[in-house]
Each structure stands twice: as structure tokens, then as C-alpha cells.
Amino acid sequence: MDFEPIFLTPVFQERIWGGTKLAERFGYDIPSSQTGECWAVSAHPHGQTVVARGPFAGMTLGQLWEERRDLFGHFPSDRFPLLTKILDANADLSVQVHPDDEYAKTHEGGELGKTECWYIIDCKPGAELIYGHYAETKEQLRAMMEAGEWERLLRKVPIRPGDFFYVPSGTIHALCEGTLVLETQQSSDTTYRVYDYDRVDSQGRRRELHLDKAIDVTTVPHRDIDIRPHVAEFPGATVTTFVEGDYFGVQKWDVRGAFESEQAKPFLIVSILEGEGELVRKGQTYLLRRGDHFILPHQFGRFTIRGSLQAIASWPRTGK
């Protein structure tokens, strides 16, 4: 067995709504001033992260998953199940919805569905996002979409840094201007775009909409998910468990000092959002800084994080 943290090099995606905060906040070398997404931990074919150092340096996460399932606890999935991103919404994202596993498998060539969640890293004063809708029936949903009655249809929710949102498949949603989030999701890149503010790209073209599929998969009427974070105090850290759902669990670690823990999941994904410190296991020390992303493999065991930092940790689940 190999018991080193698996540090990963992010992949960046340019988007019409992207900006420069990924460079400004995390020091990343982004490709342009319209960089919207940092795919931080990904084995999805549309953007695979690469192991940065250690015995597996240069391997894609997908290769490592296929060749060393023992590192991931032989988690029962035909692909690496999760995808961690940081999103810089410099402008409003399109209003969209994602299918569940069954619909995606049938209509999207075997792709996974997409349940996701957002941790609000930062946002401008007065920021909001779109979460859900006011239609009572599918017929009403279609009529309001086709009539462009977006103000009447879409639910807007005020947000602030530190908020957490769980976004199951079937939920109409959108991040809005001035928002920086960490997203944990199923490993899927399937999106049904509902409304894109009539924007055009650099070639003067509007992006494709997918109204029929969107109406098929949207939950009607909208259902809010009751998320009740659990906060636990430990020596050296506060651990907030946001969700333990069908596909993933997500925690926030606020470390102030020395935090001792044990990695007992199939594997654990960790993203450092603020601060710096070090991870220590059996005399080996690994430096941690803002913008680092790594995986603690199966049977990693006990470890200590020392320093002053904030991290988001996630792990796969088979709750269904």
C-alpha cells in the first residue's frame, strides 16, 4: 500500500461568464481573463487532473483509478465517482438543470446524472443565486419558459460567504454574478440549459438551450432540501458536516492549531481554501497552502494537520 497524500494539478476551463478570481485568490496560472472553472479533482474525460508529485506523478486521476483501485477502497463504481471544482462567476451563469443517473444513462450515452452542492467561498454584497422555481405543474413550467416569464418563474435566494447549498438532480439553479464557490458533484458534465440571458459568444452565437430535456428532468413542484449542518468541536479544529447524501459527504474543517483525525473513508478529497499549514503522518510532513487539492487514500489512517487554515473535505457514498 502507498500512504502518501495524492496532490493533484488542476485543469482550467474558460467560460463566457468567467473571470480572474482563480488567479487572484489562489495564485493559479489561468489561461485567460474569462476562466470560469478550476477542475481541482477530476477523472472526467472532459478534463482530467494529473498527480503532481510522489510515486504516481504524471498519471491522470483516471489512470490511477483504473490501475490502483486499492487506493480508493475498491469503491463500487465503474468510474471515479466525484468531481471537485472551484467556480468564478464573474457574470451570471445560465439557468440550468441536471438529470438523474437513470435519465442520463438513457439519454446521454451512459453519463452519470449530476447531484451537486456549493460552498460559498466569497460573494459580493447583496449577491444571490437561483435555486428552484414557482411552477406547480410541468405544463405551467413549459408555458412560463416558452413565454420568457423568468422573473415570475425563478426563485432567487440571497447568499453570503460560508453558506452551503445542496442541489439534487432535477433542481433548476444558477450561480449569479460576483460569486466564488467550491462545488462537489457527481462526475458528470451533463447540463440542460434553460435560459442564458440571450448572450452571444465571441463569434456572435447564442449557446444552445435544451428546454425539452430540461422540462423532462425538472422536479415539479420544486422541493427544498432541509440541510442542517452539524458542528463538532475538536482540539485544534471545528468540523462542520454539511451533508451525508446519496452520492457524497461534505465537511468544512476550520483548523487553528493541531487537529488530529483518522481517514476511515474509501478515500477523502481535501481542498485548502484559506491559510496554510502542514499534514503530518508517521513522521512525514507535507506542506499545505491555499489552493492545494489532494486525496487521502484508503487506509491512510491517523494524521495531524497543523496550522491556520480552512478546508473542504468530501468522500463518496452509496446511500441509495
Side-chain angles (χ1 to χ4, degrees), residues 258-285:
F259 170 47
E260 295 186 9
S261 187
E262 182 171 8
Q263 200 309 72
K265 310 296 186 186
F267 59 90
L268 191 68
I269 298 170
V270 183
S271 297
I272 309 298
L273 299 184
E274 297 286 353
E276 60 184 20
E278 59 186 20
L279 185 153
V280 181
R281 179 188 181 275
K282 293 188 176 180
Q284 294 292 315
T285 298

Side-chain angles (χ1 to χ4, degrees), residues 207-255:
R207 296 194 295 175
E208 182 183 4
L209 303 180
H210 316 93
L211 290 188
D212 289 339
K213 286 182 175 179
I215 292 165
D216 277 350
V217 306
T218 297
T219 300
V220 182
H222 170 74
R223 292 197 298 268
D224 274 326
I225 305 298
D226 186 19
I227 294 295
R228 299 182 182 182
H230 175 264
V231 179
E233 297 291 342
F234 296 93
T238 301
V239 175
T240 304
T241 302
F242 289 118
V243 67
E244 291 187 278
D246 292 331
Y247 303 103
F248 46 73
V250 178
Q251 291 179 334
K252 179 177 67 167
W253 301 346
D254 288 297
V255 178

Side-chain angles (χ1 to χ4, degrees), residues 143-202:
M144 294 177 80
M145 285 182 176
E146 291 180 347
E149 296 180 339
W150 305 113
E151 290 298 319
R152 288 185 55 220
L153 176 62
L154 301 174
R155 296 174 76 236
K156 294 184 178 179
V157 179
I159 61 172
R160 59 186 179 181
D163 284 349
F164 179 85
F165 293 86
Y166 184 66
V167 189
S169 59
T171 305
I172 287 181
H173 62 277
L175 296 174
C176 296
E177 177 187 350
T179 308
L180 185 70
V181 310
L182 184 136
E183 178 175 285
T184 301
Q185 60 161 91
Q186 291 179 268
S187 184
S188 172
D189 200 24
T190 298
T191 293
Y192 299 149
R193 199 174 291 121
V194 172
Y195 177 54
D196 198 32
Y197 305 96
D198 300 320
R199 288 181 291 205
V200 296
D201 63 17
S202 59

